[in-house]
Amino acid sequence: GAVVSQHPSWVICKSGTSVKIECRSLDFQATTMFWYRQFPKQSLMLMATSNEGSKATYEQGVEKDKFLINHASLTLSTLTVTSAHPEDSSFYICSARELAENIQYFGAGTRLSVL
Amino acid sequence: GNSVTQMEGPVTLSEEAFLTINCTYTATGYPSLFWYVQYPGEGLQLLLKATKADDKGSNKGFEATYRKETTSFHLEKGSVQVSDSAVYFCALSPRGGSEKLVFGKGTKLTVNP
């Protein structure tokens, strides 16, 4: 299957700083990528849909100014958590949609801890 | 609307036991159906999929059949191993419309030696 690389896998930052997470599709082009947040022992919550060359589409209740998404190329989307606070600590997972198969392939996730 | 309902866990089995995790769905149109697996501390991996009624997805000894008449996609494995311990998510992808995946809540499986 296709491979999606997510980096970093784990990040610790101080409150008030910004953190950037990268999501790359390694062997296919992805016009659409997705960003999810997962709380402990819960399912994935879709945060936003990232569209190459256009603005991201955010789910209701997700602050677009706090979670900045950029999808500048067909293989890379980034999520920047701006002015992070402890309540932003979570597991963030990206996925990329392989168009021909209509399958989403997932990155390994990023664990963010905000002190 | 679209939704996925999975049996609640956790599920605890002994090695070599038979596994069933139930999944039913509600969807408009004809969705594609998926099972994803998440090992501790990792992201989701596609386990198997089915794109139309009566399709059977299979991988690593796991199977699931797309049953349109019962709107179900139950996951089964004849003999589980300790290494199968993980969280399993059932999901659907609507056809011809939204690209978003709709996930069930996940079922945690623990297999004891």
mmCIF file of all heavy atoms in Angstrom, chain A residues 97 101-103, chain B residues 1-5 23-35 48-57 64-73 90-103:
data_model
loop_
_atom_site.group_PDB
_atom_site.id
_atom_site.type_symbol
_atom_site.label_atom_id
_atom_site.label_comp_id
_atom_site.label_asym_id
_atom_site.label_seq_id
_atom_site.Cartn_x
_atom_site.Cartn_y
_atom_site.Cartn_z
ATOM 1 N N ARG A 97 -5.432 11.035 0.700
ATOM 2 C CA ARG A 97 -6.363 10.251 -0.097
ATOM 3 C C ARG A 97 -5.725 9.848 -1.414
ATOM 4 O O ARG A 97 -5.322 10.700 -2.205
ATOM 5 C CB ARG A 97 -7.632 11.049 -0.350
ATOM 6 C CG ARG A 97 -8.688 10.310 -1.157
ATOM 7 C CD ARG A 97 -9.990 11.079 -1.123
ATOM 8 N NE ARG A 97 -10.989 10.458 -1.986
ATOM 9 C CZ ARG A 97 -11.413 10.986 -3.120
ATOM 10 N NH1 ARG A 97 -10.938 12.128 -3.533
ATOM 11 N NH2 ARG A 97 -12.327 10.356 -3.845
ATOM 12 N N GLU A 101 -7.792 4.578 -5.798
ATOM 13 C CA GLU A 101 -8.386 3.535 -4.947
ATOM 14 C C GLU A 101 -9.449 4.092 -4.010
ATOM 15 O O GLU A 101 -10.170 3.328 -3.365
ATOM 16 C CB GLU A 101 -7.305 2.879 -4.101
ATOM 17 C CG GLU A 101 -6.230 2.166 -4.893
ATOM 18 C CD GLU A 101 -5.195 1.581 -3.945
ATOM 19 O OE1 GLU A 101 -4.459 2.375 -3.315
ATOM 20 O OE2 GLU A 101 -5.114 0.354 -3.823
ATOM 21 N N ASN A 102 -9.532 5.406 -3.924
ATOM 22 C CA ASN A 102 -10.425 6.047 -2.948
ATOM 23 C C ASN A 102 -10.156 5.521 -1.541
ATOM 24 O O ASN A 102 -11.067 5.179 -0.793
ATOM 25 C CB ASN A 102 -11.897 5.850 -3.310
ATOM 26 C CG ASN A 102 -12.811 6.747 -2.482
ATOM 27 O OD1 ASN A 102 -12.398 7.797 -2.002
ATOM 28 N ND2 ASN A 102 -14.043 6.320 -2.281
ATOM 29 N N ILE A 103 -8.873 5.443 -1.193
ATOM 30 C CA ILE A 103 -8.464 4.980 0.132
ATOM 31 C C ILE A 103 -7.656 6.078 0.797
ATOM 32 O O ILE A 103 -6.837 6.723 0.167
ATOM 33 C CB ILE A 103 -7.618 3.702 0.030
ATOM 34 C CG1 ILE A 103 -8.470 2.529 -0.424
ATOM 35 C CG2 ILE A 103 -6.964 3.375 1.373
ATOM 36 C CD1 ILE A 103 -7.661 1.268 -0.644
ATOM 37 N N GLY B 1 -28.100 10.778 7.154
ATOM 38 C CA GLY B 1 -26.666 10.992 7.245
ATOM 39 C C GLY B 1 -25.929 9.677 7.298
ATOM 40 O O GLY B 1 -26.500 8.600 7.263
ATOM 41 N N ASN B 2 -24.600 9.799 7.364
ATOM 42 C CA ASN B 2 -23.735 8.619 7.410
ATOM 43 C C ASN B 2 -23.231 8.386 8.826
ATOM 44 O O ASN B 2 -22.806 9.326 9.505
ATOM 45 C CB ASN B 2 -22.542 8.832 6.489
ATOM 46 C CG ASN B 2 -22.966 9.048 5.055
ATOM 47 O OD1 ASN B 2 -23.688 8.239 4.501
ATOM 48 N ND2 ASN B 2 -22.539 10.157 4.469
ATOM 49 N N SER B 3 -23.255 7.144 9.255
ATOM 50 C CA SER B 3 -22.738 6.819 10.580
ATOM 51 C C SER B 3 -22.281 5.372 10.621
ATOM 52 O O SER B 3 -22.700 4.545 9.806
ATOM 53 C CB SER B 3 -23.797 7.066 11.662
ATOM 54 O OG SER B 3 -24.875 6.180 11.514
ATOM 55 N N VAL B 4 -21.419 5.088 11.592
ATOM 56 C CA VAL B 4 -20.892 3.735 11.792
ATOM 57 C C VAL B 4 -21.022 3.385 13.271
ATOM 58 O O VAL B 4 -20.638 4.175 14.138
ATOM 59 C CB VAL B 4 -19.415 3.647 11.370
ATOM 60 C CG1 VAL B 4 -18.835 2.277 11.711
ATOM 61 C CG2 VAL B 4 -19.272 3.927 9.878
ATOM 62 N N THR B 5 -21.543 2.222 13.537
ATOM 63 C CA THR B 5 -21.698 1.751 14.912
ATOM 64 C C THR B 5 -20.898 0.466 15.089
ATOM 65 O O THR B 5 -21.101 -0.507 14.369
ATOM 66 C CB THR B 5 -23.177 1.485 15.240
ATOM 67 O OG1 THR B 5 -23.933 2.676 15.023
ATOM 68 C CG2 THR B 5 -23.322 1.064 16.699
ATOM 69 N N CYS B 23 -19.890 -4.494 13.206
ATOM 70 C CA CYS B 23 -19.936 -3.140 12.662
ATOM 71 C C CYS B 23 -21.161 -3.029 11.775
ATOM 72 O O CYS B 23 -21.362 -3.858 10.880
ATOM 73 C CB CYS B 23 -18.680 -2.837 11.857
ATOM 74 S SG CYS B 23 -18.746 -1.273 10.942
ATOM 75 N N THR B 24 -21.993 -2.039 12.034
ATOM 76 C CA THR B 24 -23.119 -1.740 11.160
ATOM 77 C C THR B 24 -23.029 -0.284 10.743
ATOM 78 O O THR B 24 -22.408 0.534 11.422
ATOM 79 C CB THR B 24 -24.463 -2.002 11.847
ATOM 80 O OG1 THR B 24 -24.543 -1.225 13.048
ATOM 81 C CG2 THR B 24 -24.640 -3.468 12.187
ATOM 82 N N TYR B 25 -23.651 0.018 9.632
ATOM 83 C CA TYR B 25 -23.514 1.367 9.119
ATOM 84 C C TYR B 25 -24.860 1.902 8.626
ATOM 85 O O TYR B 25 -25.791 1.141 8.347
ATOM 86 C CB TYR B 25 -22.499 1.410 7.973
ATOM 87 C CG TYR B 25 -22.941 0.666 6.736
ATOM 88 C CD1 TYR B 25 -23.656 1.305 5.719
ATOM 89 C CD2 TYR B 25 -22.669 -0.694 6.579
ATOM 90 C CE1 TYR B 25 -24.079 0.626 4.595
ATOM 91 C CE2 TYR B 25 -23.091 -1.389 5.466
ATOM 92 C CZ TYR B 25 -23.794 -0.732 4.476
ATOM 93 O OH TYR B 25 -24.233 -1.421 3.366
ATOM 94 N N THR B 26 -24.923 3.195 8.540
ATOM 95 C CA THR B 26 -26.036 3.912 7.915
ATOM 96 C C THR B 26 -25.432 4.837 6.882
ATOM 97 O O THR B 26 -24.496 5.580 7.186
ATOM 98 C CB THR B 26 -26.824 4.739 8.949
ATOM 99 O OG1 THR B 26 -27.300 3.883 9.977
ATOM 100 C CG2 THR B 26 -27.998 5.440 8.290
ATOM 101 N N ALA B 27 -25.924 4.758 5.670
ATOM 102 C CA ALA B 27 -25.348 5.600 4.619
ATOM 103 C C ALA B 27 -26.366 5.837 3.525
ATOM 104 O O ALA B 27 -27.217 4.988 3.258
ATOM 105 C CB ALA B 27 -24.094 4.946 4.039
ATOM 106 N N THR B 28 -26.229 6.976 2.886
ATOM 107 C CA THR B 28 -26.994 7.234 1.671
ATOM 108 C C THR B 28 -26.139 6.767 0.505
ATOM 109 O O THR B 28 -24.929 6.973 0.484
ATOM 110 C CB THR B 28 -27.293 8.729 1.541
ATOM 111 O OG1 THR B 28 -26.061 9.465 1.651
ATOM 112 C CG2 THR B 28 -28.216 9.185 2.646
ATOM 113 N N GLY B 29 -26.729 6.110 -0.434
ATOM 114 C CA GLY B 29 -25.960 5.626 -1.573
ATOM 115 C C GLY B 29 -25.230 4.337 -1.257
ATOM 116 O O GLY B 29 -25.660 3.539 -0.417
ATOM 117 N N TYR B 30 -24.095 4.153 -1.905
ATOM 118 C CA TYR B 30 -23.355 2.904 -1.796
ATOM 119 C C TYR B 30 -21.923 3.186 -1.348
ATOM 120 O O TYR B 30 -21.041 3.421 -2.165
ATOM 121 C CB TYR B 30 -23.381 2.188 -3.153
ATOM 122 C CG TYR B 30 -24.782 1.910 -3.629
ATOM 123 C CD1 TYR B 30 -25.453 2.809 -4.453
ATOM 124 C CD2 TYR B 30 -25.448 0.772 -3.207
ATOM 125 C CE1 TYR B 30 -26.754 2.569 -4.862
ATOM 126 C CE2 TYR B 30 -26.746 0.514 -3.612
ATOM 127 C CZ TYR B 30 -27.402 1.421 -4.442
ATOM 128 O OH TYR B 30 -28.682 1.184 -4.837
ATOM 129 N N PRO B 31 -21.694 3.156 -0.056
ATOM 130 C CA PRO B 31 -20.364 3.523 0.452
ATOM 131 C C PRO B 31 -19.343 2.413 0.252
ATOM 132 O O PRO B 31 -19.688 1.250 0.015
ATOM 133 C CB PRO B 31 -20.617 3.724 1.949
ATOM 134 C CG PRO B 31 -21.739 2.771 2.253
ATOM 135 C CD PRO B 31 -22.621 2.804 1.029
ATOM 136 N N SER B 32 -18.085 2.779 0.355
ATOM 137 C CA SER B 32 -17.009 1.808 0.524
ATOM 138 C C SER B 32 -16.812 1.621 2.029
ATOM 139 O O SER B 32 -16.992 2.551 2.809
ATOM 140 C CB SER B 32 -15.716 2.311 -0.111
ATOM 141 O OG SER B 32 -15.840 2.421 -1.511
ATOM 142 N N LEU B 33 -16.414 0.407 2.409
ATOM 143 C CA LEU B 33 -16.280 0.082 3.833
ATOM 144 C C LEU B 33 -14.857 -0.371 4.134
ATOM 145 O O LEU B 33 -14.210 -1.024 3.303
ATOM 146 C CB LEU B 33 -17.266 -1.018 4.215
ATOM 147 C CG LEU B 33 -18.744 -0.692 3.974
ATOM 148 C CD1 LEU B 33 -19.611 -1.911 4.262
ATOM 149 C CD2 LEU B 33 -19.190 0.479 4.837
ATOM 150 N N PHE B 34 -14.383 -0.011 5.316
ATOM 151 C CA PHE B 34 -12.997 -0.261 5.672
ATOM 152 C C PHE B 34 -12.891 -0.739 7.122
ATOM 153 O O PHE B 34 -13.710 -0.395 7.970
ATOM 154 C CB PHE B 34 -12.160 1.029 5.560
ATOM 155 C CG PHE B 34 -12.239 1.708 4.230
ATOM 156 C CD1 PHE B 34 -13.247 2.624 3.969
ATOM 157 C CD2 PHE B 34 -11.309 1.451 3.251
ATOM 158 C CE1 PHE B 34 -13.336 3.266 2.735
ATOM 159 C CE2 PHE B 34 -11.378 2.086 2.014
ATOM 160 C CZ PHE B 34 -12.397 2.993 1.761
ATOM 161 N N TRP B 35 -11.851 -1.494 7.380
ATOM 162 C CA TRP B 35 -11.382 -1.731 8.730
ATOM 163 C C TRP B 35 -9.949 -1.228 8.816
ATOM 164 O O TRP B 35 -9.096 -1.579 7.985
ATOM 165 C CB TRP B 35 -11.421 -3.216 9.097
ATOM 166 C CG TRP B 35 -12.771 -3.669 9.551
ATOM 167 C CD1 TRP B 35 -13.707 -4.342 8.824
ATOM 168 C CD2 TRP B 35 -13.334 -3.487 10.861
ATOM 169 N NE1 TRP B 35 -14.818 -4.579 9.600
ATOM 170 C CE2 TRP B 35 -14.626 -4.068 10.845
ATOM 171 C CE3 TRP B 35 -12.884 -2.889 12.045
ATOM 172 C CZ2 TRP B 35 -15.466 -4.075 11.967
ATOM 173 C CZ3 TRP B 35 -13.713 -2.897 13.151
ATOM 174 C CH2 TRP B 35 -14.977 -3.483 13.107
ATOM 175 N N LEU B 48 -8.334 -3.913 5.803
ATOM 176 C CA LEU B 48 -9.014 -4.470 4.643
ATOM 177 C C LEU B 48 -10.133 -3.533 4.208
ATOM 178 O O LEU B 48 -10.513 -2.624 4.945
ATOM 179 C CB LEU B 48 -9.542 -5.880 4.932
ATOM 180 C CG LEU B 48 -10.421 -6.086 6.158
ATOM 181 C CD1 LEU B 48 -11.868 -5.741 5.882
ATOM 182 C CD2 LEU B 48 -10.331 -7.525 6.663
ATOM 183 N N LYS B 49 -10.646 -3.796 3.020
ATOM 184 C CA LYS B 49 -11.696 -2.927 2.499
ATOM 185 C C LYS B 49 -12.637 -3.721 1.596
ATOM 186 O O LYS B 49 -12.299 -4.819 1.135
ATOM 187 C CB LYS B 49 -11.087 -1.779 1.694
ATOM 188 C CG LYS B 49 -10.382 -2.250 0.422
ATOM 189 C CD LYS B 49 -10.074 -1.118 -0.513
ATOM 190 C CE LYS B 49 -9.431 -1.672 -1.789
ATOM 191 N NZ LYS B 49 -9.397 -0.689 -2.889
ATOM 192 N N ALA B 50 -13.808 -3.144 1.357
ATOM 193 C CA ALA B 50 -14.761 -3.702 0.398
ATOM 194 C C ALA B 50 -15.503 -2.535 -0.234
ATOM 195 O O ALA B 50 -15.890 -1.597 0.456
ATOM 196 C CB ALA B 50 -15.738 -4.654 1.076
ATOM 197 N N THR B 51 -15.685 -2.598 -1.524
ATOM 198 C CA THR B 51 -16.250 -1.444 -2.216
ATOM 199 C C THR B 51 -17.675 -1.654 -2.704
ATOM 200 O O THR B 51 -18.326 -0.690 -3.107
ATOM 201 C CB THR B 51 -15.367 -1.049 -3.411
ATOM 202 O OG1 THR B 51 -15.252 -2.184 -4.272
ATOM 203 C CG2 THR B 51 -13.990 -0.622 -2.947
ATOM 204 N N LYS B 52 -18.175 -2.888 -2.691
ATOM 205 C CA LYS B 52 -19.552 -3.087 -3.116
ATOM 206 C C LYS B 52 -20.143 -4.295 -2.400
ATOM 207 O O LYS B 52 -19.431 -5.113 -1.792
ATOM 208 C CB LYS B 52 -19.635 -3.270 -4.621
ATOM 209 C CG LYS B 52 -18.877 -4.451 -5.181
ATOM 210 C CD LYS B 52 -18.982 -4.462 -6.697
ATOM 211 C CE LYS B 52 -18.371 -5.724 -7.296
ATOM 212 N NZ LYS B 52 -16.946 -5.863 -7.002
ATOM 213 N N ALA B 53 -21.448 -4.390 -2.492
ATOM 214 C CA ALA B 53 -22.171 -5.447 -1.789
ATOM 215 C C ALA B 53 -21.632 -6.830 -2.146
ATOM 216 O O ALA B 53 -21.308 -7.105 -3.301
ATOM 217 C CB ALA B 53 -23.656 -5.345 -2.108
ATOM 218 N N ASP B 54 -21.524 -7.663 -1.122
ATOM 219 C CA ASP B 54 -21.066 -9.047 -1.201
ATOM 220 C C ASP B 54 -19.561 -9.185 -1.394
ATOM 221 O O ASP B 54 -19.048 -10.309 -1.430
ATOM 222 C CB ASP B 54 -21.800 -9.828 -2.293
ATOM 223 C CG ASP B 54 -23.290 -9.887 -2.043
ATOM 224 O OD1 ASP B 54 -23.687 -9.957 -0.866
ATOM 225 O OD2 ASP B 54 -24.059 -9.841 -3.018
ATOM 226 N N ASP B 55 -18.856 -8.074 -1.516
ATOM 227 C CA ASP B 55 -17.390 -8.130 -1.547
ATOM 228 C C ASP B 55 -16.878 -8.629 -0.210
ATOM 229 O O ASP B 55 -17.412 -8.272 0.844
ATOM 230 C CB ASP B 55 -16.801 -6.732 -1.799
ATOM 231 C CG ASP B 55 -16.562 -6.460 -3.257
ATOM 232 O OD1 ASP B 55 -16.883 -7.323 -4.089
ATOM 233 O OD2 ASP B 55 -16.040 -5.369 -3.561
ATOM 234 N N LYS B 56 -15.833 -9.430 -0.241
ATOM 235 C CA LYS B 56 -15.177 -9.840 0.989
ATOM 236 C C LYS B 56 -13.770 -9.273 0.990
ATOM 237 O O LYS B 56 -12.991 -9.549 0.079
ATOM 238 C CB LYS B 56 -15.121 -11.371 1.108
ATOM 239 C CG LYS B 56 -14.354 -11.851 2.348
ATOM 240 C CD LYS B 56 -14.203 -13.371 2.383
ATOM 241 C CE LYS B 56 -15.469 -14.040 2.814
ATOM 242 N NZ LYS B 56 -15.276 -15.492 3.045
ATOM 243 N N GLY B 57 -13.458 -8.487 2.008
ATOM 244 C CA GLY B 57 -12.097 -8.014 2.181
ATOM 245 C C GLY B 57 -11.355 -8.975 3.093
ATOM 246 O O GLY B 57 -11.933 -9.521 4.033
ATOM 247 N N ALA B 64 -13.865 -9.615 6.298
ATOM 248 C CA ALA B 64 -15.126 -8.920 6.534
ATOM 249 C C ALA B 64 -15.884 -8.905 5.222
ATOM 250 O O ALA B 64 -15.290 -8.681 4.157
ATOM 251 C CB ALA B 64 -14.894 -7.504 7.034
ATOM 252 N N THR B 65 -17.189 -9.150 5.287
ATOM 253 C CA THR B 65 -18.023 -9.191 4.086
ATOM 254 C C THR B 65 -19.016 -8.043 4.111
ATOM 255 O O THR B 65 -19.695 -7.813 5.121
ATOM 256 C CB THR B 65 -18.772 -10.524 3.982
ATOM 257 O OG1 THR B 65 -17.814 -11.587 3.951
ATOM 258 C CG2 THR B 65 -19.616 -10.571 2.720
ATOM 259 N N TYR B 66 -19.115 -7.344 3.019
ATOM 260 C CA TYR B 66 -20.014 -6.197 2.847
ATOM 261 C C TYR B 66 -21.421 -6.754 2.650
ATOM 262 O O TYR B 66 -21.749 -7.301 1.594
ATOM 263 C CB TYR B 66 -19.547 -5.435 1.609
ATOM 264 C CG TYR B 66 -20.176 -4.094 1.319
ATOM 265 C CD1 TYR B 66 -19.403 -3.078 0.778
ATOM 266 C CD2 TYR B 66 -21.523 -3.833 1.516
ATOM 267 C CE1 TYR B 66 -19.929 -1.850 0.446
ATOM 268 C CE2 TYR B 66 -22.066 -2.612 1.208
ATOM 269 C CZ TYR B 66 -21.270 -1.621 0.660
ATOM 270 O OH TYR B 66 -21.810 -0.400 0.332
ATOM 271 N N ARG B 67 -22.263 -6.596 3.662
ATOM 272 C CA ARG B 67 -23.635 -7.111 3.617
ATOM 273 C C ARG B 67 -24.590 -5.938 3.509
ATOM 274 O O ARG B 67 -24.869 -5.256 4.493
ATOM 275 C CB ARG B 67 -23.948 -7.910 4.881
ATOM 276 C CG ARG B 67 -23.054 -9.099 5.113
ATOM 277 C CD ARG B 67 -23.378 -10.236 4.213
ATOM 278 N NE ARG B 67 -22.630 -11.449 4.572
ATOM 279 C CZ ARG B 67 -22.433 -12.452 3.741
ATOM 280 N NH1 ARG B 67 -22.884 -12.400 2.502
ATOM 281 N NH2 ARG B 67 -21.764 -13.509 4.148
ATOM 282 N N LYS B 68 -25.111 -5.736 2.309
ATOM 283 C CA LYS B 68 -26.009 -4.608 2.096
ATOM 284 C C LYS B 68 -27.349 -4.836 2.765
ATOM 285 O O LYS B 68 -27.965 -3.914 3.298
ATOM 286 C CB LYS B 68 -26.187 -4.360 0.596
ATOM 287 C CG LYS B 68 -26.952 -3.101 0.228
ATOM 288 C CD LYS B 68 -26.867 -2.843 -1.256
ATOM 289 C CE LYS B 68 -27.611 -1.577 -1.650
ATOM 290 N NZ LYS B 68 -29.066 -1.684 -1.416
ATOM 291 N N GLU B 69 -27.804 -6.082 2.776
ATOM 292 C CA GLU B 69 -29.137 -6.353 3.317
ATOM 293 C C GLU B 69 -29.209 -6.119 4.823
ATOM 294 O O GLU B 69 -30.256 -5.760 5.349
ATOM 295 C CB GLU B 69 -29.569 -7.782 2.973
ATOM 296 C CG GLU B 69 -28.711 -8.875 3.576
ATOM 297 C CD GLU B 69 -27.480 -9.208 2.752
ATOM 298 O OE1 GLU B 69 -27.126 -8.412 1.852
ATOM 299 O OE2 GLU B 69 -26.853 -10.252 3.023
ATOM 300 N N THR B 70 -28.082 -6.317 5.491
ATOM 301 C CA THR B 70 -28.046 -6.079 6.940
ATOM 302 C C THR B 70 -27.225 -4.854 7.296
ATOM 303 O O THR B 70 -27.015 -4.568 8.481
ATOM 304 C CB THR B 70 -27.458 -7.296 7.689
ATOM 305 O OG1 THR B 70 -26.176 -7.612 7.120
ATOM 306 C CG2 THR B 70 -28.388 -8.499 7.573
ATOM 307 N N THR B 71 -26.772 -4.135 6.290
ATOM 308 C CA THR B 71 -25.887 -2.951 6.458
ATOM 309 C C THR B 71 -24.809 -3.245 7.482
ATOM 310 O O THR B 71 -24.610 -2.504 8.456
ATOM 311 C CB THR B 71 -26.679 -1.682 6.824
ATOM 312 O OG1 THR B 71 -27.345 -1.853 8.075
ATOM 313 C CG2 THR B 71 -27.660 -1.333 5.745
ATOM 314 N N SER B 72 -24.074 -4.334 7.239
ATOM 315 C CA SER B 72 -23.049 -4.741 8.196
ATOM 316 C C SER B 72 -21.724 -5.027 7.502
ATOM 317 O O SER B 72 -21.670 -5.278 6.294
ATOM 318 C CB SER B 72 -23.510 -5.974 8.972
ATOM 319 O OG SER B 72 -23.633 -7.089 8.097
ATOM 320 N N PHE B 73 -20.669 -4.997 8.316
ATOM 321 C CA PHE B 73 -19.316 -5.276 7.817
ATOM 322 C C PHE B 73 -18.514 -5.812 9.007
ATOM 323 O O PHE B 73 -17.540 -5.229 9.442
ATOM 324 C CB PHE B 73 -18.703 -3.992 7.251
ATOM 325 C CG PHE B 73 -17.457 -4.194 6.426
ATOM 326 C CD1 PHE B 73 -17.426 -5.063 5.353
ATOM 327 C CD2 PHE B 73 -16.303 -3.478 6.720
ATOM 328 C CE1 PHE B 73 -16.280 -5.229 4.586
ATOM 329 C CE2 PHE B 73 -15.142 -3.631 5.955
ATOM 330 C CZ PHE B 73 -15.141 -4.510 4.895
ATOM 331 N N CYS B 90 -13.883 0.559 12.382
ATOM 332 C CA CYS B 90 -14.681 0.372 11.182
ATOM 333 C C CYS B 90 -14.965 1.760 10.608
ATOM 334 O O CYS B 90 -15.166 2.719 11.369
ATOM 335 C CB CYS B 90 -15.981 -0.338 11.546
ATOM 336 S SG CYS B 90 -17.031 -0.771 10.155
ATOM 337 N N ALA B 91 -14.961 1.883 9.286
ATOM 338 C CA ALA B 91 -15.165 3.203 8.687
ATOM 339 C C ALA B 91 -15.851 3.058 7.338
ATOM 340 O O ALA B 91 -15.786 2.004 6.700
ATOM 341 C CB ALA B 91 -13.827 3.931 8.522
ATOM 342 N N LEU B 92 -16.515 4.119 6.924
ATOM 343 C CA LEU B 92 -17.108 4.137 5.599
ATOM 344 C C LEU B 92 -16.702 5.409 4.862
ATOM 345 O O LEU B 92 -16.420 6.435 5.473
ATOM 346 C CB LEU B 92 -18.623 3.997 5.664
ATOM 347 C CG LEU B 92 -19.501 5.130 6.214
ATOM 348 C CD1 LEU B 92 -19.768 6.220 5.189
ATOM 349 C CD2 LEU B 92 -20.831 4.542 6.683
ATOM 350 N N SER B 93 -16.678 5.294 3.553
ATOM 351 C CA SER B 93 -16.400 6.427 2.689
ATOM 352 C C SER B 93 -17.558 6.555 1.712
ATOM 353 O O SER B 93 -17.785 5.662 0.898
ATOM 354 C CB SER B 93 -15.096 6.204 1.924
ATOM 355 O OG SER B 93 -14.883 7.228 0.976
ATOM 356 N N PRO B 94 -18.306 7.640 1.819
ATOM 357 C CA PRO B 94 -19.452 7.792 0.930
ATOM 358 C C PRO B 94 -19.029 7.872 -0.531
ATOM 359 O O PRO B 94 -17.948 8.381 -0.842
ATOM 360 C CB PRO B 94 -20.073 9.124 1.390
ATOM 361 C CG PRO B 94 -19.540 9.350 2.749
ATOM 362 C CD PRO B 94 -18.184 8.749 2.761
ATOM 363 N N ARG B 95 -19.844 7.391 -1.390
ATOM 364 C CA ARG B 95 -19.507 7.434 -2.811
ATOM 365 C C ARG B 95 -20.078 8.687 -3.448
ATOM 366 O O ARG B 95 -21.179 9.098 -3.147
ATOM 367 C CB ARG B 95 -20.115 6.229 -3.538
ATOM 368 C CG ARG B 95 -19.394 4.955 -3.281
ATOM 369 C CD ARG B 95 -18.585 4.550 -4.498
ATOM 370 N NE ARG B 95 -17.979 3.256 -4.312
ATOM 371 C CZ ARG B 95 -18.472 2.145 -4.805
ATOM 372 N NH1 ARG B 95 -19.583 2.176 -5.531
ATOM 373 N NH2 ARG B 95 -17.864 1.002 -4.606
ATOM 374 N N GLY B 96 -19.305 9.222 -4.398
ATOM 375 C CA GLY B 96 -19.812 10.301 -5.226
ATOM 376 C C GLY B 96 -20.127 11.565 -4.476
ATOM 377 O O GLY B 96 -20.866 12.400 -4.962
ATOM 378 N N GLY B 97 -19.591 11.746 -3.321
ATOM 379 C CA GLY B 97 -19.888 12.944 -2.545
ATOM 380 C C GLY B 97 -18.714 13.302 -1.675
ATOM 381 O O GLY B 97 -17.601 13.396 -2.154
ATOM 382 N N SER B 98 -18.966 13.455 -0.392
ATOM 383 C CA SER B 98 -17.891 13.818 0.524
ATOM 384 C C SER B 98 -16.788 12.774 0.513
ATOM 385 O O SER B 98 -17.034 11.586 0.442
ATOM 386 C CB SER B 98 -18.447 13.968 1.928
ATOM 387 O OG SER B 98 -17.411 14.053 2.870
ATOM 388 N N GLU B 99 -15.541 13.242 0.622
ATOM 389 C CA GLU B 99 -14.415 12.323 0.701
ATOM 390 C C GLU B 99 -14.122 11.927 2.125
ATOM 391 O O GLU B 99 -13.226 11.142 2.375
ATOM 392 C CB GLU B 99 -13.181 12.994 0.104
ATOM 393 C CG GLU B 99 -13.386 13.477 -1.323
ATOM 394 C CD GLU B 99 -12.365 14.512 -1.700
ATOM 395 O OE1 GLU B 99 -11.946 15.293 -0.832
ATOM 396 O OE2 GLU B 99 -11.986 14.542 -2.869
ATOM 397 N N LYS B 100 -14.860 12.478 3.064
ATOM 398 C CA LYS B 100 -14.517 12.261 4.454
ATOM 399 C C LYS B 100 -14.812 10.833 4.863
ATOM 400 O O LYS B 100 -15.832 10.263 4.510
ATOM 401 C CB LYS B 100 -15.337 13.195 5.342
ATOM 402 C CG LYS B 100 -15.158 14.664 5.039
ATOM 403 C CD LYS B 100 -16.121 15.489 5.884
ATOM 404 C CE LYS B 100 -16.086 16.941 5.469
ATOM 405 N NZ LYS B 100 -17.069 17.740 6.231
ATOM 406 N N LEU B 101 -13.931 10.288 5.669
ATOM 407 C CA LEU B 101 -14.183 8.995 6.280
ATOM 408 C C LEU B 101 -15.037 9.192 7.522
ATOM 409 O O LEU B 101 -14.802 10.106 8.300
ATOM 410 C CB LEU B 101 -12.866 8.326 6.685
ATOM 411 C CG LEU B 101 -12.114 7.525 5.625
ATOM 412 C CD1 LEU B 101 -10.806 7.006 6.193
ATOM 413 C CD2 LEU B 101 -12.963 6.370 5.126
ATOM 414 N N VAL B 102 -15.982 8.301 7.699
ATOM 415 C CA VAL B 102 -16.787 8.301 8.912
ATOM 416 C C VAL B 102 -16.354 7.080 9.723
ATOM 417 O O VAL B 102 -16.447 5.948 9.236
ATOM 418 C CB VAL B 102 -18.287 8.234 8.576
ATOM 419 C CG1 VAL B 102 -19.102 8.173 9.851
ATOM 420 C CG2 VAL B 102 -18.688 9.436 7.722
ATOM 421 N N PHE B 103 -15.892 7.309 10.939
ATOM 422 C CA PHE B 103 -15.344 6.238 11.763
ATOM 423 C C PHE B 103 -16.313 5.790 12.836
ATOM 424 O O PHE B 103 -17.100 6.585 13.371
ATOM 425 C CB PHE B 103 -14.076 6.721 12.484
ATOM 426 C CG PHE B 103 -12.865 6.780 11.611
ATOM 427 C CD1 PHE B 103 -12.507 7.956 10.981
ATOM 428 C CD2 PHE B 103 -12.079 5.655 11.432
ATOM 429 C CE1 PHE B 103 -11.385 8.021 10.179
ATOM 430 C CE2 PHE B 103 -10.951 5.710 10.631
ATOM 431 C CZ PHE B 103 -10.606 6.897 10.006
#
